[in-house]
PDB file of all heavy atoms in Angstrom:
ATOM      1  N   GLN A 395       5.219  15.113  -6.174  1.00 83.00           N
ATOM      2  CA  GLN A 395       4.105  14.306  -6.676  1.00 83.00           C
ATOM      3  C   GLN A 395       4.112  14.206  -8.194  1.00 83.00           C
ATOM      4  O   GLN A 395       3.864  13.160  -8.757  1.00 83.00           O
ATOM      5  CB  GLN A 395       2.772  14.909  -6.209  1.00 83.00           C
ATOM      6  CG  GLN A 395       2.446  14.583  -4.776  1.00 83.00           C
ATOM      7  CD  GLN A 395       3.445  15.161  -3.805  1.00 83.00           C
ATOM      8  OE1 GLN A 395       3.929  16.270  -4.019  1.00 83.00           O
ATOM      9  NE2 GLN A 395       3.796  14.425  -2.780  1.00 83.00           N
ATOM     10  N   LEU A 399       4.533  10.421  -9.041  1.00 57.00           N
ATOM     11  CA  LEU A 399       3.295   9.767  -9.437  1.00 57.00           C
ATOM     12  C   LEU A 399       3.305   9.712 -10.967  1.00 57.00           C
ATOM     13  O   LEU A 399       4.299  10.027 -11.586  1.00 57.00           O
ATOM     14  CB  LEU A 399       2.090  10.544  -8.913  1.00 57.00           C
ATOM     15  CG  LEU A 399       2.133  10.822  -7.404  1.00 57.00           C
ATOM     16  CD1 LEU A 399       0.915  11.594  -6.972  1.00 57.00           C
ATOM     17  CD2 LEU A 399       2.261   9.543  -6.628  1.00 57.00           C
ATOM     18  N   GLY A 570       9.417  13.244   4.170  1.00 94.00           N
ATOM     19  CA  GLY A 570       8.994  11.877   3.908  1.00 94.00           C
ATOM     20  C   GLY A 570       9.714  10.765   4.626  1.00 94.00           C
ATOM     21  O   GLY A 570       9.972   9.723   4.034  1.00 94.00           O
ATOM     22  N   VAL A 591       3.875   9.750   5.355  1.00 96.00           N
ATOM     23  CA  VAL A 591       2.575   9.120   5.188  1.00 96.00           C
ATOM     24  C   VAL A 591       2.537   7.746   5.845  1.00 96.00           C
ATOM     25  O   VAL A 591       1.467   7.165   6.034  1.00 96.00           O
ATOM     26  CB  VAL A 591       2.222   8.928   3.697  1.00 96.00           C
ATOM     27  CG1 VAL A 591       2.291  10.246   2.963  1.00 96.00           C
ATOM     28  CG2 VAL A 591       3.133   7.905   3.033  1.00 96.00           C
ATOM     29  N   THR A 594      -0.009   6.259   8.745  1.00 98.00           N
ATOM     30  CA  THR A 594      -1.417   6.027   8.394  1.00 98.00           C
ATOM     31  C   THR A 594      -1.561   5.037   7.247  1.00 98.00           C
ATOM     32  O   THR A 594      -2.474   4.225   7.233  1.00 98.00           O
ATOM     33  CB  THR A 594      -2.134   7.343   8.005  1.00 98.00           C
ATOM     34  OG1 THR A 594      -1.371   8.026   7.018  1.00 98.00           O
ATOM     35  CG2 THR A 594      -2.328   8.217   9.230  1.00 98.00           C
ATOM     36  N   ARG A 598      -3.627   1.448   7.563  1.00 98.00           N
ATOM     37  CA  ARG A 598      -4.777   1.010   6.765  1.00 98.00           C
ATOM     38  C   ARG A 598      -4.570  -0.389   6.198  1.00 98.00           C
ATOM     39  O   ARG A 598      -5.515  -1.064   5.810  1.00 98.00           O
ATOM     40  CB  ARG A 598      -5.036   2.006   5.626  1.00 98.00           C
ATOM     41  CG  ARG A 598      -5.976   3.118   6.001  1.00 98.00           C
ATOM     42  CD  ARG A 598      -6.080   4.160   4.907  1.00 98.00           C
ATOM     43  NE  ARG A 598      -4.993   5.110   5.004  1.00 98.00           N
ATOM     44  CZ  ARG A 598      -4.137   5.387   4.041  1.00 98.00           C
ATOM     45  NH1 ARG A 598      -4.232   4.813   2.870  1.00 98.00           N
ATOM     46  NH2 ARG A 598      -3.177   6.261   4.238  1.00 98.00           N
ATOM     47  N   LYS A 645     -10.813  -8.110   9.010  1.00 96.00           N
ATOM     48  CA  LYS A 645     -11.392  -9.219   8.239  1.00 96.00           C
ATOM     49  C   LYS A 645     -12.755  -8.827   7.692  1.00 96.00           C
ATOM     50  O   LYS A 645     -13.130  -9.202   6.597  1.00 96.00           O
ATOM     51  CB  LYS A 645     -11.544 -10.459   9.126  1.00 96.00           C
ATOM     52  CG  LYS A 645     -10.248 -10.972   9.688  1.00 96.00           C
ATOM     53  CD  LYS A 645      -9.426 -11.638   8.631  1.00 96.00           C
ATOM     54  CE  LYS A 645      -8.110 -12.099   9.244  1.00 96.00           C
ATOM     55  NZ  LYS A 645      -7.273 -12.805   8.293  1.00 96.00           N
TER      56      LYS A 645
ATOM     57  P     C B 150      -6.518 -16.035   7.574  1.00 85.42           P
ATOM     58  OP1   C B 150      -6.522 -16.361   9.015  1.00 85.42           O
ATOM     59  OP2   C B 150      -6.784 -14.649   7.123  1.00 85.42           O
ATOM     60  O5'   C B 150      -5.146 -16.495   6.938  1.00 85.42           O
ATOM     61  C5'   C B 150      -4.576 -17.750   7.298  1.00 85.42           C
ATOM     62  C4'   C B 150      -3.317 -17.978   6.511  1.00 85.42           C
ATOM     63  O4'   C B 150      -3.649 -18.046   5.093  1.00 85.42           O
ATOM     64  C3'   C B 150      -2.302 -16.845   6.563  1.00 85.42           C
ATOM     65  O3'   C B 150      -1.542 -16.866   7.751  1.00 85.42           O
ATOM     66  C2'   C B 150      -1.461 -17.167   5.335  1.00 85.42           C
ATOM     67  O2'   C B 150      -0.598 -18.257   5.545  1.00 85.42           O
ATOM     68  C1'   C B 150      -2.552 -17.560   4.334  1.00 85.42           C
ATOM     69  N1    C B 150      -2.983 -16.407   3.530  1.00 85.42           N
ATOM     70  C2    C B 150      -2.212 -16.062   2.407  1.00 85.42           C
ATOM     71  O2    C B 150      -1.214 -16.746   2.153  1.00 85.42           O
ATOM     72  N3    C B 150      -2.570 -14.999   1.648  1.00 85.42           N
ATOM     73  C4    C B 150      -3.648 -14.289   1.969  1.00 85.42           C
ATOM     74  N4    C B 150      -3.954 -13.254   1.197  1.00 85.42           N
ATOM     75  C5    C B 150      -4.453 -14.612   3.107  1.00 85.42           C
ATOM     76  C6    C B 150      -4.087 -15.670   3.859  1.00 85.42           C
ATOM     77  P     U B 155       6.929   3.583   0.515  1.00 85.42           P
ATOM     78  OP1   U B 155       6.210   4.465  -0.434  1.00 85.42           O
ATOM     79  OP2   U B 155       8.146   2.893   0.118  1.00 85.42           O
ATOM     80  O5'   U B 155       7.245   4.422   1.846  1.00 85.42           O
ATOM     81  C5'   U B 155       6.246   5.249   2.434  1.00 85.42           C
ATOM     82  C4'   U B 155       6.940   6.426   3.108  1.00 85.42           C
ATOM     83  O4'   U B 155       7.773   5.890   4.151  1.00 85.42           O
ATOM     84  C3'   U B 155       7.838   7.233   2.161  1.00 85.42           C
ATOM     85  O3'   U B 155       7.619   8.632   2.222  1.00 85.42           O
ATOM     86  C2'   U B 155       9.254   6.916   2.619  1.00 85.42           C
ATOM     87  O2'   U B 155      10.058   8.083   2.677  1.00 85.42           O
ATOM     88  C1'   U B 155       9.070   6.416   4.045  1.00 85.42           C
ATOM     89  N1    U B 155      10.062   5.381   4.387  1.00 85.42           N
ATOM     90  C2    U B 155      10.988   5.713   5.372  1.00 85.42           C
ATOM     91  O2    U B 155      10.986   6.795   5.934  1.00 85.42           O
ATOM     92  N3    U B 155      11.890   4.736   5.664  1.00 85.42           N
ATOM     93  C4    U B 155      11.978   3.494   5.087  1.00 85.42           C
ATOM     94  O4    U B 155      12.839   2.727   5.471  1.00 85.42           O
ATOM     95  C5    U B 155      10.987   3.224   4.081  1.00 85.42           C
ATOM     96  C6    U B 155      10.083   4.157   3.770  1.00 85.42           C
ATOM     97  P     G B 156       6.275   9.279   1.569  1.00 85.42           P
ATOM     98  OP1   G B 156       5.064   8.531   1.879  1.00 85.42           O
ATOM     99  OP2   G B 156       6.736   9.343   0.189  1.00 85.42           O
ATOM    100  O5'   G B 156       6.096  10.739   2.133  1.00 85.42           O
ATOM    101  C5'   G B 156       7.107  11.697   1.737  1.00 85.42           C
ATOM    102  C4'   G B 156       6.489  13.044   1.803  1.00 85.42           C
ATOM    103  O4'   G B 156       7.536  14.016   1.782  1.00 85.42           O
ATOM    104  C3'   G B 156       5.577  13.363   0.603  1.00 85.42           C
ATOM    105  O3'   G B 156       4.211  13.149   1.009  1.00 85.42           O
ATOM    106  C2'   G B 156       5.895  14.828   0.307  1.00 85.42           C
ATOM    107  O2'   G B 156       5.067  15.685   1.089  1.00 85.42           O
ATOM    108  C1'   G B 156       7.346  14.960   0.770  1.00 85.42           C
ATOM    109  N9    G B 156       8.368  14.762  -0.251  1.00 85.42           N
ATOM    110  C8    G B 156       8.900  13.561  -0.664  1.00 85.42           C
ATOM    111  N7    G B 156       9.817  13.709  -1.595  1.00 85.42           N
ATOM    112  C5    G B 156       9.885  15.075  -1.799  1.00 85.42           C
ATOM    113  C6    G B 156      10.706  15.823  -2.683  1.00 85.42           C
ATOM    114  O6    G B 156      11.551  15.412  -3.472  1.00 85.42           O
ATOM    115  N1    G B 156      10.459  17.196  -2.582  1.00 85.42           N
ATOM    116  C2    G B 156       9.544  17.758  -1.735  1.00 85.42           C
ATOM    117  N2    G B 156       9.454  19.064  -1.788  1.00 85.42           N
ATOM    118  N3    G B 156       8.770  17.072  -0.904  1.00 85.42           N
ATOM    119  C4    G B 156       8.999  15.747  -0.987  1.00 85.42           C
ATOM    120  P     U B 157       2.977  13.578  -0.159  1.00 85.42           P
ATOM    121  OP1   U B 157       3.477  14.578  -1.028  1.00 85.42           O
ATOM    122  OP2   U B 157       1.764  13.872   0.609  1.00 85.42           O
ATOM    123  O5'   U B 157       2.732  12.257  -1.022  1.00 85.42           O
ATOM    124  C5'   U B 157       2.633  10.994  -0.346  1.00 85.42           C
ATOM    125  C4'   U B 157       1.729  10.098  -1.163  1.00 85.42           C
ATOM    126  O4'   U B 157       1.188   9.133  -0.261  1.00 85.42           O
ATOM    127  C3'   U B 157       0.563  10.915  -1.763  1.00 85.42           C
ATOM    128  O3'   U B 157       0.554  11.016  -3.180  1.00 85.42           O
ATOM    129  C2'   U B 157      -0.701  10.412  -0.976  1.00 85.42           C
ATOM    130  O2'   U B 157      -1.741   9.993  -1.844  1.00 85.42           O
ATOM    131  C1'   U B 157      -0.220   9.221  -0.180  1.00 85.42           C
ATOM    132  N1    U B 157      -0.622   9.271   1.244  1.00 85.42           N
ATOM    133  C2    U B 157      -1.222   8.136   1.755  1.00 85.42           C
ATOM    134  O2    U B 157      -1.393   7.156   1.057  1.00 85.42           O
ATOM    135  N3    U B 157      -1.588   8.192   3.060  1.00 85.42           N
ATOM    136  C4    U B 157      -1.418   9.255   3.914  1.00 85.42           C
ATOM    137  O4    U B 157      -1.776   9.163   5.066  1.00 85.42           O
ATOM    138  C5    U B 157      -0.806  10.404   3.312  1.00 85.42           C
ATOM    139  C6    U B 157      -0.438  10.370   2.025  1.00 85.42           C
ATOM    140  P     A B 158       0.577   9.868  -4.277  1.00 85.42           P
ATOM    141  OP1   A B 158       0.065   8.749  -3.484  1.00 85.42           O
ATOM    142  OP2   A B 158       1.812   9.787  -5.077  1.00 85.42           O
ATOM    143  O5'   A B 158      -0.564  10.325  -5.247  1.00 85.42           O
ATOM    144  C5'   A B 158      -0.859   9.634  -6.377  1.00 85.42           C
ATOM    145  C4'   A B 158      -2.162   8.911  -6.250  1.00 85.42           C
ATOM    146  O4'   A B 158      -2.667   8.803  -7.589  1.00 85.42           O
ATOM    147  C3'   A B 158      -1.990   7.481  -5.687  1.00 85.42           C
ATOM    148  O3'   A B 158      -2.649   7.295  -4.437  1.00 85.42           O
ATOM    149  C2'   A B 158      -2.396   6.563  -6.849  1.00 85.42           C
ATOM    150  O2'   A B 158      -3.290   5.546  -6.452  1.00 85.42           O
ATOM    151  C1'   A B 158      -3.055   7.482  -7.843  1.00 85.42           C
ATOM    152  N9    A B 158      -2.752   7.190  -9.207  1.00 85.42           N
ATOM    153  C8    A B 158      -3.639   7.306 -10.257  1.00 85.42           C
ATOM    154  N7    A B 158      -3.147   6.971 -11.429  1.00 85.42           N
ATOM    155  C5    A B 158      -1.849   6.608 -11.134  1.00 85.42           C
ATOM    156  C6    A B 158      -0.798   6.149 -11.947  1.00 85.42           C
ATOM    157  N6    A B 158      -0.901   5.984 -13.262  1.00 85.42           N
ATOM    158  N1    A B 158       0.386   5.875 -11.354  1.00 85.42           N
ATOM    159  C2    A B 158       0.499   6.052 -10.016  1.00 85.42           C
ATOM    160  N3    A B 158      -0.414   6.486  -9.148  1.00 85.42           N
ATOM    161  C4    A B 158      -1.577   6.745  -9.779  1.00 85.42           C
ATOM    162  P     A B 159      -4.175   7.349  -4.031  1.00 85.42           P
ATOM    163  OP1   A B 159      -4.921   7.389  -5.275  1.00 85.42           O
ATOM    164  OP2   A B 159      -4.352   8.374  -3.020  1.00 85.42           O
ATOM    165  O5'   A B 159      -4.487   6.001  -3.291  1.00 85.42           O
ATOM    166  C5'   A B 159      -3.896   4.767  -3.643  1.00 85.42           C
ATOM    167  C4'   A B 159      -4.231   3.742  -2.622  1.00 85.42           C
ATOM    168  O4'   A B 159      -3.167   2.796  -2.538  1.00 85.42           O
ATOM    169  C3'   A B 159      -4.423   4.237  -1.208  1.00 85.42           C
ATOM    170  O3'   A B 159      -5.365   3.385  -0.622  1.00 85.42           O
ATOM    171  C2'   A B 159      -3.020   4.136  -0.577  1.00 85.42           C
ATOM    172  O2'   A B 159      -3.083   3.718   0.757  1.00 85.42           O
ATOM    173  C1'   A B 159      -2.368   3.031  -1.396  1.00 85.42           C
ATOM    174  N9    A B 159      -1.007   3.364  -1.812  1.00 85.42           N
ATOM    175  C8    A B 159      -0.446   4.558  -2.123  1.00 85.42           C
ATOM    176  N7    A B 159       0.807   4.478  -2.462  1.00 85.42           N
ATOM    177  C5    A B 159       1.083   3.115  -2.388  1.00 85.42           C
ATOM    178  C6    A B 159       2.228   2.354  -2.623  1.00 85.42           C
ATOM    179  N6    A B 159       3.362   2.883  -3.003  1.00 85.42           N
ATOM    180  N1    A B 159       2.157   1.028  -2.448  1.00 85.42           N
ATOM    181  C2    A B 159       1.000   0.504  -2.071  1.00 85.42           C
ATOM    182  N3    A B 159      -0.148   1.100  -1.817  1.00 85.42           N
ATOM    183  C4    A B 159      -0.038   2.420  -1.988  1.00 85.42           C
ATOM    184  P     A B 160      -6.511   3.692   0.315  1.00 85.42           P
ATOM    185  OP1   A B 160      -7.483   4.355  -0.518  1.00 85.42           O
ATOM    186  OP2   A B 160      -6.082   4.270   1.629  1.00 85.42           O
ATOM    187  O5'   A B 160      -7.001   2.216   0.569  1.00 85.42           O
ATOM    188  C5'   A B 160      -6.256   1.295   1.319  1.00 85.42           C
ATOM    189  C4'   A B 160      -7.223   0.416   2.064  1.00 85.42           C
ATOM    190  O4'   A B 160      -7.892   1.227   3.042  1.00 85.42           O
ATOM    191  C3'   A B 160      -8.337  -0.124   1.163  1.00 85.42           C
ATOM    192  O3'   A B 160      -7.943  -1.369   0.641  1.00 85.42           O
ATOM    193  C2'   A B 160      -9.497  -0.273   2.137  1.00 85.42           C
ATOM    194  O2'   A B 160      -9.440  -1.489   2.847  1.00 85.42           O
ATOM    195  C1'   A B 160      -9.255   0.876   3.098  1.00 85.42           C
ATOM    196  N9    A B 160     -10.046   2.067   2.826  1.00 85.42           N
ATOM    197  C8    A B 160      -9.628   3.256   2.294  1.00 85.42           C
ATOM    198  N7    A B 160     -10.578   4.151   2.180  1.00 85.42           N
ATOM    199  C5    A B 160     -11.690   3.503   2.675  1.00 85.42           C
ATOM    200  C6    A B 160     -13.020   3.897   2.833  1.00 85.42           C
ATOM    201  N6    A B 160     -13.477   5.092   2.504  1.00 85.42           N
ATOM    202  N1    A B 160     -13.878   3.002   3.350  1.00 85.42           N
ATOM    203  C2    A B 160     -13.426   1.794   3.677  1.00 85.42           C
ATOM    204  N3    A B 160     -12.199   1.300   3.589  1.00 85.42           N
ATOM    205  C4    A B 160     -11.375   2.211   3.077  1.00 85.42           C
ATOM    206  P     U B 161      -8.464  -1.889  -0.822  1.00 85.42           P
ATOM    207  OP1   U B 161      -9.585  -1.037  -1.264  1.00 85.42           O
ATOM    208  OP2   U B 161      -8.652  -3.334  -0.753  1.00 85.42           O
ATOM    209  O5'   U B 161      -7.211  -1.621  -1.765  1.00 85.42           O
ATOM    210  C5'   U B 161      -7.149  -0.447  -2.580  1.00 85.42           C
ATOM    211  C4'   U B 161      -5.720  -0.227  -3.015  1.00 85.42           C
ATOM    212  O4'   U B 161      -4.925   0.124  -1.851  1.00 85.42           O
ATOM    213  C3'   U B 161      -5.018  -1.451  -3.576  1.00 85.42           C
ATOM    214  O3'   U B 161      -5.319  -1.623  -4.960  1.00 85.42           O
ATOM    215  C2'   U B 161      -3.553  -1.095  -3.349  1.00 85.42           C
ATOM    216  O2'   U B 161      -3.100  -0.130  -4.268  1.00 85.42           O
ATOM    217  C1'   U B 161      -3.619  -0.454  -1.972  1.00 85.42           C
ATOM    218  N1    U B 161      -3.435  -1.425  -0.886  1.00 85.42           N
ATOM    219  C2    U B 161      -2.157  -1.893  -0.653  1.00 85.42           C
ATOM    220  O2    U B 161      -1.196  -1.547  -1.313  1.00 85.42           O
ATOM    221  N3    U B 161      -2.046  -2.780   0.375  1.00 85.42           N
ATOM    222  C4    U B 161      -3.062  -3.256   1.171  1.00 85.42           C
ATOM    223  O4    U B 161      -2.800  -4.049   2.059  1.00 85.42           O
ATOM    224  C5    U B 161      -4.356  -2.720   0.864  1.00 85.42           C
ATOM    225  C6    U B 161      -4.495  -1.849  -0.125  1.00 85.42           C
TER     226        U B 161
END
Side-chain angles (χ1 to χ4, degrees):
Chain A
Q395 282 63 37
L399 307 180
V591 304
T594 51
R598 270 174 276 124
K645 299 287 178 178

